[in-house]
Amino acid sequence: MAWLSAFKFRLNTLGIVLIPVCIAIDWAGRSIDKLLNLPLFLDSIGTVLGGILAGPWVGALSGFIANFINAGTVDPIAAWYSLVSLGIGFAAGIGGYLGWHRRPRGWIALWILVFLVASIVSTPINIGLFHGQSGVWFGDGVYTALVKAGVPIWISSYFDEASVDFVDKLITVLAAILIFQGLPRRYRSLFRLYEPSDDQREERTPARA
Amino acid sequence: MARGISLYVEGQSPLHRVHPLTKGTLTLVIIALAFIAPSLPWVLALGLIVLLLLASAGVLARFLAILAALLFPIGALLVIVQGLVNPANREVLVPLGPLSLYREGVLVGILTAARLADLIGATFLFSFTTRPADLAETLMQHGLSPRFGYVVQSVLQLIPQTLETVDRIRNAQQARGLEIRGRLDRRIRAFLPLMMPVVLSSLVATQERAMALEVRGFGLKVTRVTRYRIPDSVGQRVLRWALLLLLPLALLARLYGWR
């Protein structure tokens, strides 16, 4: 259960200061997405980046608070999805703690984990608020087809949400990892204390990516 | 062109003057009641109360404009999809062969959309009339760690700054020949060149900000004293409990056949 040690509470001032920055990055991602007119949300890049960089608490808190900020400004329904962002932040934080962002195989693992968390946590909320729909044309088309074919509501609702999250979270995780790789090493090393200490590490290569 | 993101509208109405906790309770209770209420007339009645409250705060026109933009797409989707495939569907309303809309589903869609309208109205009731700084202050006076009070306050300043940076970087990258229109793959490829500089510039400032906060005693574990007290009263405290009491009552009524 090595991943549980990712949750040891180590939130120093730098971690706290990073939370609003991650939320602002979430907003920047969404506004660039709108600028380029892409058919995705891309509004959790900051959450994933915060998780990778500074552990599950920074990721989860920035996701959680970001949804309430959205609720008070542009999207009143967002507050009810704050648990989803909380989960995404935790997932990214655990992945980052385990160093998944350094290996291509880990990239896929991180994507699958974030995707599963997002789609599974969203489904009950979709059922409660929207009778199982996700509110995205493409996903709701999937929902309609499945329910018409006699699939139970819960399962149709899951596939509705999953069909949207599958691509969205791929791009989100990929963007967050590429941004992480592009950060100056000096900057990344500021957050070394959120990584496993050296004696716990199974392999420690001198040239870390 | 620094534009704030807060929706707060300056005003002197009773709703503006009420304690943020009272408004927060009101918002949550209205939303819960909208989803407990069993049928469309009740949900609409609740919506009417929300509209009256918004009108009393002088923000009705602004609200209706935002509501239409938010509710129309999702409402249309709900009515169409539920009309097509809701399991309760029996009676055909619009006969279109395999794409017939059914009466029961359309009604379910309308009911759900009305509930969402209540939810949106109740949320805006809060955000239109509450200054974000007051909210953070209230939360801190009721036990939220001041470090999180800082997070809430600073994020509201940071987001407009970041959006401005996005604008600046878009101009700079376009001047260097970045294409942001055209085919989908080209637009996707433009994402990182726009995103990367925004992220870097906002991250680089964090270390300095952390040090500036540290030297001002940000990390100290001491009790903070506030000079600014948000006025609260016994009447409001009673009102908050009365509002909360409505929820178990409504649930009980629902159990005993409220239709």
Side-chain angles (χ1 to χ4, degrees):
Chain A
M1 299 304 254
W3 60 273
L4 272 180
S5 20
F7 287 89
K8 275 192 221 148
F9 202 87
R10 282 176 295 191
L11 210 52
N12 58 2
T13 304
L14 195 60
I16 298 264
V17 171
L18 192 63
I19 293 174
V21 175
C22 289
I23 299 175
I25 293 174
D26 282 346
W27 273 68
R30 193 226 311 261
S31 92
I32 295 177
D33 170 71
K34 282 213 189 102
L35 183 79
L36 296 175
N37 211 355
L38 303 177
L40 301 163
F41 311 119
L42 299 181
D43 56 358
S44 38
I45 293 178
T47 306
V48 175
L49 185 66
I52 294 177
L53 200 59
W57 291 108
V58 168
L61 282 172
S62 46
F64 191 73
I65 299 172
N67 274 49
F68 281 95
I69 303 275
N70 289 350
T73 50
V74 289
D75 180 12
I77 299 165
W80 303 95
Y81 286 88
S82 49
L83 279 184
V84 181
S85 303
L86 192 85
I88 293 176
F90 277 145
I94 292 169
Y97 181 80
L98 298 176
W100 287 359
H101 50 282
R102 295 201 195 89
R103 297 179 285 274
R105 230 187 310 151
W107 295 16
I108 296 172
L110 187 60
W111 164 43
I112 299 287
L113 182 66
V114 170
F115 157 68
L116 283 178
V117 168
S119 52
I120 291 173
V121 182
S122 299
T123 301
I125 307 177
N126 285 345
I127 299 237
L129 287 179
F130 300 116
H131 272 271
Q133 294 176 230
S134 66
V136 180
W137 284 96
F138 176 72
D140 282 353
V142 173
Y143 174 89
T144 312
L146 286 175
V147 177
K148 197 108 194 163
V151 179
I153 301 267
W154 275 87
I155 298 174
S156 317
S157 177
Y158 176 76
F159 280 106
D160 175 344
E161 177 70 33
S163 68
V164 181
D165 276 339
F166 195 70
V167 183
D168 185 58
K169 297 301 174 277
L170 170 67
I171 310 272
T172 301
V173 168
L174 201 61
I177 289 174
L178 289 178
I179 289 171
F180 180 86
Q181 310 274 352
L183 290 178
R185 246 182 101 162
R186 187 185 66 81
Y187 190 80
R188 273 185 274 163
S189 64
L190 288 176
F191 294 93
R192 271 302 306 278
L193 78 162
Y194 293 105
E195 290 172 21
S197 53
D198 286 341
D199 46 74
Q200 289 174 11
R201 261 192 123 78
E202 62 285 36
E203 37 142 356
R204 172 124 168 77
T205 42
R208 287 190 22 232
Chain B
M1 39 169 274
R3 47 193 192 279
I5 55 157
S6 158
L7 291 174
Y8 174 67
V9 181
E10 205 64 56
Q12 280 304 317
S13 73
L15 264 176
H16 281 85
R17 276 178 277 129
V18 151
H19 194 269
L21 269 189
T22 313
K23 269 181 278 188
T25 316
L26 179 69
T27 296
L28 289 179
V29 168
I30 291 176
I31 293 173
L33 284 179
F35 281 84
I36 296 171
S39 55
L40 193 58
W42 290 101
V43 177
L44 289 181
L46 204 59
L48 194 64
I49 297 175
V50 175
L51 287 181
L52 288 177
L53 286 169
L54 283 163
S56 81
V59 289
L60 190 60
R62 289 181 61 137
F63 166 73
L64 289 176
I66 303 183
L67 178 74
L70 280 171
L71 193 64
F72 183 72
I74 181 79
L77 211 52
L78 274 166
V79 170
I80 293 171
V81 172
Q82 296 301 327
L84 282 170
V85 295
N86 191 286
N89 285 346
R90 297 285 173 275
E91 194 184 318
V92 177
L93 193 68
V94 186
L96 282 174
L99 290 177
S100 300
L101 288 180
Y102 290 82
R103 189 169 165 275
E104 291 81 0
V106 169
L107 287 180
V108 167
I110 293 175
L111 176 64
T112 311
R115 283 181 170 146
L116 289 176
D118 283 2
L119 183 153
I120 294 171
T123 312
F124 277 144
L125 196 62
F126 186 83
S127 35
F128 273 140
T129 60
T130 314
R131 193 177 297 127
D134 284 355
L135 175 63
E137 197 59 48
T138 309
L139 291 176
M140 281 192 275
Q141 282 171 18
H142 284 82
L144 182 82
S145 150
R147 307 166 108 201
F148 292 105
Y150 160 80
V151 170
V152 175
Q153 305 239 28
S154 82
V155 86
L156 289 171
Q157 295 170 1
L158 216 56
I159 290 174
Q161 282 174 24
T162 310
L163 294 182
E164 229 174 284
T165 316
V166 169
D167 254 11
R168 224 177 30 243
I169 284 164
R170 189 200 61 198
N171 285 334
Q173 296 287 47
Q174 275 186 299
R176 296 186 180 100
L178 182 77
E179 294 279 353
I180 65 165
R181 307 254 173 274
R183 289 203 320 274
L184 184 65
D185 60 319
R186 183 179 287 172
R187 281 179 281 142
I188 288 178
R189 255 181 289 149
F191 187 77
L192 271 188
L194 289 171
M195 192 69 187
M196 198 72 208
V198 179
V199 174
L200 281 180
S201 69
S202 45
L203 280 180
V204 165
T206 47
Q207 195 189 2
E208 284 166 32
R209 208 173 299 135
M211 285 195 281
L213 284 166
E214 275 294 331
V215 295
R216 287 166 177 79
F218 183 72
L220 292 183
K221 294 204 170 19
V222 289
T223 3
R224 260 83 172 165
V225 182
T226 47
R227 273 206 313 171
Y228 176 44
R229 284 250 145 213
I230 296 157
D232 198 1
S233 63
V234 181
Q236 290 198 39
R237 208 162 295 162
V238 173
L239 181 63
R240 289 202 284 268
W241 284 108
L243 282 169
L244 283 178
L245 202 62
L246 279 177
L247 294 183
L249 287 179
L251 279 175
L252 274 180
R254 199 59 213 271
L255 280 179
Y256 288 96
W258 177 20
R259 287 281 167 267

